[in-house]
């Protein structure tokens, strides 16, 4: 690899294709249905409130049935996700033991596309990011076996960041010789765009497409785009596994697939307050369970990959939205009439927990991050506005998945926790013992899953962060901390979700605020996650 010149390093010309703004009917539908999440939550909270305040003997049969259905659904969802997480850990352990050579050797070529033909464009959106944070992420990219021949790193920065050029130049001097290519883009906000990952990704990938396909003549069907946060830790075999999966797929499958590794938040999980640590551990093992569950409708989260041809077909990321991962999936979903799917790559990819200057501020930052994630409920309106753009059965599947993630999950925990006070028979007898046993079993299972996940990450394949070796240390305080998982879920998931629903009902405008990450190993600035 050769260090790029200044003109080659800063990409300023982009592909002309841009997302078309939604029509009047679509805008009206999204605006009206932005109020639906709050109405849904208020309705079911009212049902719970009526059940709790009325005499159990006097409660109507319909109310009892409704609450019982919620309980069956909730118990079943937790048990299935936990069981599948155990299955996922076995797959992680198996793939973690493989070397990059094992993945390349196991790949099979289709349509004259060989393993070594695949080119990876990695877009790293960031704003006012400290050099050290980006350095750690890029280091895990440089450690990939094929970095010098197959990886192109694009620092997706913003023109309004006064230190963007200096940061990019520092990293260029350190790393550009280790990659097939390394570039920086400086995105300037235009009318109708909002600051955030999606608008940065749109500009960066369009610039990369212009440079590599239109100017250098690289075939677009050989390019895979990966988007990640500025504080991402990749497994040393990540891109070998991705290349193998891509070239082993048929030409049609490549243009219809998202690839998703197992996002986890362990790199600095032990450096945040107990409530936050428990919540991030729940997120990590829960997402692993979802990726391992063949019945689950998989959706991308934080760090994911797709063919450049698919991104072009969908007219790239939407620069006018905040929740970019699900929304990009939906754009591709409708561009292909519901033809896309998410395939898991069973390797961990690490992201950092939010950290502020004090425990109280860190809990507040974690709350704000959860509220921003739950802002994705606004996609319920987007799905409704695109009803005619996919077959009915596929449209129904993606609509139910969005409903479950954004509307059912937050309420599920309230019903579970309040069961003995809602339905006659749950405060005594075998039902009460089942309810208590559920929480005890969850406490034990969470500890088992957490410990096993940490053992895998502690092998230090790059995805466990700077302190990977310490993750497997057994601490009594951490074991006991999982007793707080009901409180952590309530404060850092349920309440932020309801808060987001209320905010959406008042206004569909959401100003992106970067999450602080100031206490992992070194002091540093805010993050783009």
């Amino acid at each position: 690899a050769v260090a790029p010149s200044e003109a080659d390093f800063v990409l300023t010309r982009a592909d002309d294709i841009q997302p078309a703004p939604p029509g009047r009917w679509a805008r009206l539908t999204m605006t009206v249905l932005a109020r639906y999440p709050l109405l849904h939550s208020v309705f079911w909270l009212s049902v719970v409130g009526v059940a709790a305040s009325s005499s159990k003997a006097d409660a109507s049969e319909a109310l009892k049935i409704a609450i019982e259905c919620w309980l069956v659904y909730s118990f079943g969802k937790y048990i299935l996700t936990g069981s599948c997480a155990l299955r996922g850990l076995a797959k992680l352990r198996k793939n973690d033991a493989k070397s990059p050579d094992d993945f390349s050797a196991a790949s099979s070529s289709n349509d004259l596309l060989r393993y070594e033909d695949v080119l990876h464009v990695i877009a790293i959106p960031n704003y006012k990011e400290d050099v050290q944070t980006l350095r750690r992420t890029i280091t895990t990219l440089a450690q990939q076996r094929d970095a010098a021949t197959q990886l192109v790193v694009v620092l997706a920065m913003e023109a309004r960041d006064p230190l963007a050029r200096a940061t990019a130049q520092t990293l260029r001097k350190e790393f550009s010789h280790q990659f097939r290519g390394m570039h920086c883009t400086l995105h300037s906000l235009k009318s109708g765009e909002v600051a955030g990952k999606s608008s940065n990704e749109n500009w960066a990938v369009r610039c990369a497409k212009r440079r590599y396909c239109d100017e250098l003549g690289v075939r677009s069907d050989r390019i895979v785009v990966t988007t990640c946060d500025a504080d991402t830790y990749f497994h040393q075999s990540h891109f070998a596994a991705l290349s193998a999966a891509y070239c082993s797929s048929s030409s049609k499958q490549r243009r219809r697939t998202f690839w998703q590794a197992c996002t986890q938040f362990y790199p600095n999980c032990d450096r945040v307050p107990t409530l936050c640590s428990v919540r991030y551990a729940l997120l990590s093992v829960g997402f692993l369970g979802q990726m391992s569950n063949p019945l689950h409708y998989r959706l991308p989260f934080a760090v994911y990959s797709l063919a450049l041809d698919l991104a072009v077909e969908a007219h790239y990321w939407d620069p006018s939205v905040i929740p970019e991962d699900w929304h990009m999936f939906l754009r591709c979903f409708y561009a292909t009439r519901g033809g896309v799917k998410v395939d898991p790559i069973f390797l961990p990819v690490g992201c950092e927990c939010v950290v502020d200057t004090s425990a109280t501020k860190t809990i507040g930052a974690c709350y704000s991050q959860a509220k921003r994630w739950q802002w994705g409920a606004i996609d319920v309106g987007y799905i409704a506005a695109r009803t005619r753009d996919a077959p009915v059965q596929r449209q129904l599947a993606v609509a139910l998945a969005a409903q479950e993630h954004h509307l059912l999950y937050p309420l599920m925990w309230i019903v579970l926790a309040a069961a003995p006070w809602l339905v006659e028979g749950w405060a005594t007898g075998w039902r009460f013992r089942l309810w208590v046993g559920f929480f005890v079993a969850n406490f034990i299972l969470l500890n088992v899953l957490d410990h096993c996940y940490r053992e895998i990450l502690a092998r230090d394949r790059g995805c466990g962060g700077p302190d990977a070796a310490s993750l497997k240390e057994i601490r009594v305080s951490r074991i006991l901390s999982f007793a707080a998982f009901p409180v952590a879920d309530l404060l850092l998931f349920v309440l932020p979700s309801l808060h987001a629903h209320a905010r959406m009902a008042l206004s569909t405008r959401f100003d992106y605020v970067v999450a602080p990450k100031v206490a992992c190993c070194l002091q540093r600035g805010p993050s783009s996650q």
Side-chain angles (χ1 to χ4, degrees), residues 256-317:
R256 298 293 181 264
T257 304
F258 278 63
W259 285 274
Q260 175 70 57
C262 300
T263 305
Q264 46 82 17
F265 294 88
Y266 283 106
N268 65 336
C269 196
D270 293 334
R271 296 174 178 266
V272 296
T274 298
L275 282 178
C276 299
S277 180
V278 170
R279 176 61 193 151
Y280 282 117
L282 286 168
L283 272 173
S284 302
V285 299
F287 189 68
L288 176 61
Q290 292 173 357
M291 287 293 101
S292 311
N293 182 358
L295 302 178
H296 185 79
Y297 193 99
R298 301 186 184 105
L299 291 159
F301 178 43
V303 184
Y304 56 93
S305 305
L306 69 159
L308 175 62
D309 281 346
L310 178 56
V312 173
E313 190 174 356
H315 291 191
Y316 300 99
W317 284 257

Side-chain angles (χ1 to χ4, degrees), residues 38 41-42 120 136 147 170 193 207 211 215 235 260-261 263 291 312 327 333 382 391 398 426 501-502:
L38 180 64
S41 297
V42 168
H120 296 279
R136 284 195 292 274
T170 298
E193 297 184 348
C207 286
R211 175 62 177 157
E215 297 175 5
H235 191 281
Q260 175 70 57
T263 305
M291 287 293 101
V312 173
H327 195 77
F333 179 88
Y382 180 76
V398 77
W426 279 88
H501 296 171

Side-chain angles (χ1 to χ4, degrees), residues 335-378:
T336 61
R337 293 198 56 78
V340 298
K341 61 186 176 68
V342 175
D343 276 355
I345 292 179
F346 284 102
L347 288 171
V349 59
C351 294
E352 290 181 359
C353 312
V354 295
V355 185
D356 213 320
T357 53
S358 69
T360 303
K361 289 182 177 179
T362 297
I363 292 173
C366 186
Y367 180 98
S368 297
Q369 183 189 54
K371 182 177 69 176
R372 186 175 72 246
W373 284 345
Q374 288 305 111
W375 192 262
I378 204 164

Side-chain angles (χ1 to χ4, degrees), residues 328-456:
M328 182 56 177
F329 175 85
L330 291 172
R331 290 179 61 79
C332 295
F333 179 88
Y334 291 113
T336 61
R337 293 198 56 78
V340 298
K341 61 186 176 68
V342 175
D343 276 355
I345 292 179
F346 284 102
L347 288 171
V349 59
C351 294
E352 290 181 359
C353 312
V354 295
V355 185
D356 213 320
T357 53
S358 69
T360 303
K361 289 182 177 179
T362 297
I363 292 173
C366 186
Y367 180 98
S368 297
Q369 183 189 54
K371 182 177 69 176
R372 186 175 72 246
W373 284 345
Q374 288 305 111
W375 192 262
I378 204 164
D379 279 333
V380 171
Y382 180 76
I383 292 170
R386 302 292 300 268
T387 298
R388 298 179 180 179
D389 297 334
V392 174
Q393 69 276 17
R394 294 178 179 177
Q395 174 74 0
L396 183 61
V398 77
L400 289 176
Q403 174 97 357
E404 181 178 62
H405 276 269
H406 288 299
L407 305 183
L408 299 187
Y409 283 174
L411 297 173
M412 179 173 71
W413 189 242
I414 295 176
V415 176
L416 268 177
W421 295 273
L422 301 180
V423 185
E424 185 179 11
W426 279 88
T428 58
W430 68 268
R431 287 186 176 87
F432 182 73
R433 290 194 293 273
L434 175 65
W435 181 76
V436 173
F438 168 78
F439 284 93
V440 173
N442 256 279
F443 171 76
I444 296 171
L445 183 58
L446 284 172
N447 269 291
V448 170
L449 292 171
D450 178 73
H451 177 72
C452 292
Y453 214 148
R454 286 169 175 270
E455 275 197 329
I456 294 171

